[in-house]
Amino acid sequence: MPKKEELPKTIFYTDPLNDEFSTMEIKTPTIDGSYKYKRNGPWGSFLHFLTFRIIGKPLAFFYLKSKFKHKVVGKTKLKRFKKEAIFLYGNHTQIIGDALIPAFVLSPRSMTVIVHPNNTAIPGIGKFVPYLGGMPLPSDMAATKNFMAELDRRIKKTHSPIVIYPEAHLWPYYTGIRPFKSTSFTYPIQYNAPAFCFVNTYQKGKKGKVLITTYVDGPYYPKPGLSLAEAREDLRNQIYEAMREKAGEHSTYSAIEYVRKEGS
């Protein structure tokens, strides 16, 4: 008999596209036209350097290594694009880790992570999210205009890598890849930029420890001669299948069992 603490926890779901299993209870803030996306002045640059490089990355390294013995495989595929804006799509399976892992996938580069507005309301660290590279999704048209203007600036002027979690909803420790929409795949087509994926896979360590190995793959481009809608769908399908392949091949341990409810 395995030890009790090693038995998988079971979560029942009904909708793999929209169900959310984050354990954080946060009232979603409104990101309206007053939200300041652009923070590249002297003070903003200092806070980014302080929070991301001096405080954030060392703490993230300690957390990921001590808790998960985290390692990245395949990041050399990004090397020849180190001076270009690129888009990276990952699976959304860690409450804290998903904010930290991209920093080591892309190291030593800084990055932009498109996040849910809830991230800006996390007690203690929410106000630092923008300086760590987080850009919360807008809540209205005025904020959308500001969001797109800042995204455009980062891509064209700073060549920032853009990290997106297309599954949108958090399923902790899920070892598969859930279906996701093609909406966010418009960006690399619009900016004629390469797209990559990274997949956090799970293995079992000693004494029931859960290990995470992140696999990077790409670049991916849509087939030529397609309309925007067709190209977006083609790029989405390429990355979805690549992510499924990596997850199926390298995730060998399920810390949580996900079971679909009958009749759903």
Side-chain angles (χ1 to χ4, degrees):
M1 287 284 292
K3 294 180 181 180
K4 186 176 181 180
E5 61 269 25
E6 294 179 346
L7 292 174
K9 177 183 176 182
T10 300
I11 291 179
F12 293 92
Y13 70 91
T14 58
D15 182 354
L17 192 64
N18 296 301
D19 282 355
E20 169 78 33
F21 297 111
S22 174
T23 57
M24 291 191 299
E25 296 183 3
I26 295 174
K27 182 180 178 181
T28 301
T30 298
I31 306 298
D32 58 21
S34 66
Y35 183 84
K36 187 178 180 181
Y37 280 107
K38 187 176 181 180
R39 307 191 187 210
N40 64 324
W43 179 240
S45 297
F46 170 74
L47 286 177
H48 168 71
F49 177 78
L50 179 65
T51 57
F52 182 73
R53 298 201 180 276
I54 303 301
I55 300 174
K57 283 193 74 174
L59 288 178
F61 181 85
F62 175 77
Y63 171 80
L64 292 172
K65 285 294 185 182
S66 63
K67 186 172 178 64
F68 301 111
K69 292 189 175 180
H70 177 250
K71 60 182 179 179
V72 180
V73 177
K75 66 175 294 182
T76 54
K77 296 175 181 179
L78 304 173
K79 192 173 182 180
R80 68 186 178 99
F81 301 95
K82 61 184 179 181
K83 294 184 179 180
E84 298 180 35
I86 60 176
F87 290 83
L88 297 96
Y89 296 85
N91 55 330
H92 200 7
T93 60
Q94 284 291 310
I95 295 173
I96 298 175
D98 284 352
L100 309 178
I101 287 171
F104 298 97
V105 170
L106 289 158
S107 184
R109 299 179 71 180
S110 297
M111 78 279 180
T112 295
V113 184
I114 297 178
V115 301
H116 191 280
N118 282 1
N119 287 268
T120 66
I122 298 173
I125 65 172
K127 63 183 178 180
F128 296 107
V129 164
Y131 304 107
L132 292 168
M135 279 186 67
L137 289 166
S139 303
D140 60 23
M141 289 304 297
T144 298
K145 182 179 179 181
N146 296 338
F147 174 90
M148 292 305 301
E150 176 59 11
L151 189 67
D152 186 78
R153 185 192 70 82
R154 295 189 189 192
I155 292 168
K156 291 180 178 178
K157 293 190 176 181
T158 68
H159 309 295
S160 174
I162 309 297
V163 178
I164 299 171
Y165 290 99
E167 292 172 325
H169 300 282
L170 179 69
W171 285 30
Y173 295 92
Y174 186 64
T175 57
I177 301 297
R178 289 168 280 137
F180 48 76
K181 298 177 181 179
S182 63
T183 309
S184 64
F185 292 87
T186 300
Y187 297 127
I189 299 168
Q190 178 182 349
Y191 289 101
N192 192 30
F196 292 81
C197 63
F198 64 96
V199 182
N200 297 318
T201 65
Y202 294 92
Q203 299 81 37
K204 187 175 181 180
K206 296 179 180 179
K207 299 181 180 180
K209 193 179 188 72
V210 180
L211 312 181
I212 297 179
T213 306
T214 302
Y215 288 85
V216 181
D217 210 355
Y220 296 97
Y221 302 91
K223 296 180 181 69
L226 301 177
S227 67
L228 174 59
E230 292 169 336
R232 183 177 67 190
E233 195 68 25
D234 178 60
L235 187 58
R236 177 264 179 210
N237 292 343
Q238 289 185 60
I239 289 180
Y240 178 69
E241 291 304 325
M243 292 175 74
R244 285 188 65 190
E245 182 179 344
K246 290 294 183 187
E249 184 178 354
H250 298 291
S251 274
T252 57
Y253 175 62
S254 297
I256 298 177
E257 183 181 6
Y258 285 83
V259 179
R260 190 160 195 157
K261 290 181 181 178
E262 293 184 10
S264 62

